[in-house]
Amino acid sequence: TARVVRVIDGDTIDVTINGTEYRVRYVGANTPERGEACYSDAVNANKSLVEGRTVTLVRDRSDTDRYDRLLRYVYVGNVMVNEELIRTGYAEAVLYAPDDRFYNNFLALEIEARRRGLGCHPTGIFDDGSDTR
């Protein structure tokens, strides 16, 4: 478990674990970057889920990315934040191989969110034709 001390953007947070601060990148979810359409909405959606909360961090296969961020599925209680952001349309499903435990589920949730026009989907921000990074 960890305590969220800062929301960096829609898919990245800073947490403390036993007094040490770590940056955490959500596995399998990608949100708009600063300056892109829907960035603020995605950040606010993330804040509403995790800001100031205690979270549980679950690893897939990789421990960190090339920026030394922890790669994790993030839970607040029984809610997986990665999944919730995709389900509500504020994130798109992306495959960051080899971390693919929930990818098929995330993709199905994204397809439904797009179909329903939820969150950021009406802006077209996720329409880049690729679901891998």
Side-chain angles (χ1 to χ4, degrees):
T1 61
R3 183 81 177 164
V4 177
V5 294
R6 192 173 306 105
V7 173
I8 302 304
D9 59 24
D11 53 36
T12 310
I13 56 176
D14 285 344
V15 300
T16 57
I17 303 171
N18 298 323
T20 303
E21 193 166 302
Y22 298 90
R23 185 146 291 175
V24 178
R25 173 68 168 82
Y26 299 166
V27 175
N30 186 55
T31 61
E33 301 299 328
R34 185 178 308 277
E36 292 182 334
C38 209
Y39 170 80
S40 294
D41 294 329
V43 172
N44 290 333
N46 192 21
K47 283 181 177 180
S48 73
L49 292 165
V50 301
E51 193 168 48
R53 307 287 298 269
T54 297
V55 296
T56 301
L57 306 175
V58 178
R59 182 177 160 182
D60 195 321
R61 291 187 179 104
S62 303
D63 187 42
T64 59
D65 66 8
R66 64 181 179 219
Y67 305 109
D68 292 323
R69 299 177 295 188
L70 298 177
L71 296 172
R72 298 294 186 268
Y73 300 107
V74 177
Y75 291 83
V76 175
N78 293 327
V79 174
M80 184 201 298
V81 176
N82 320 45
E83 180 179 73
E84 185 67 9
L85 289 169
I86 295 167
R87 188 186 68 72
T88 57
Y90 293 103
E92 64 179 330
V94 290
L95 179 59
Y96 292 98
D99 302 302
D100 61 359
R101 184 181 317 164
F102 296 105
Y103 175 72
N104 290 334
N105 179 54
F106 288 176
L107 190 57
L109 291 170
E110 180 186 354
I111 290 167
E112 180 61 15
R114 182 183 311 120
R115 186 189 70 73
R116 295 177 59 203
L118 299 179
C120 297
H121 286 284
T123 71
I125 189 66
F126 300 135
D127 298 341
D128 66 357
S130 176
D131 60 358
T132 60
R133 297 289 183 271

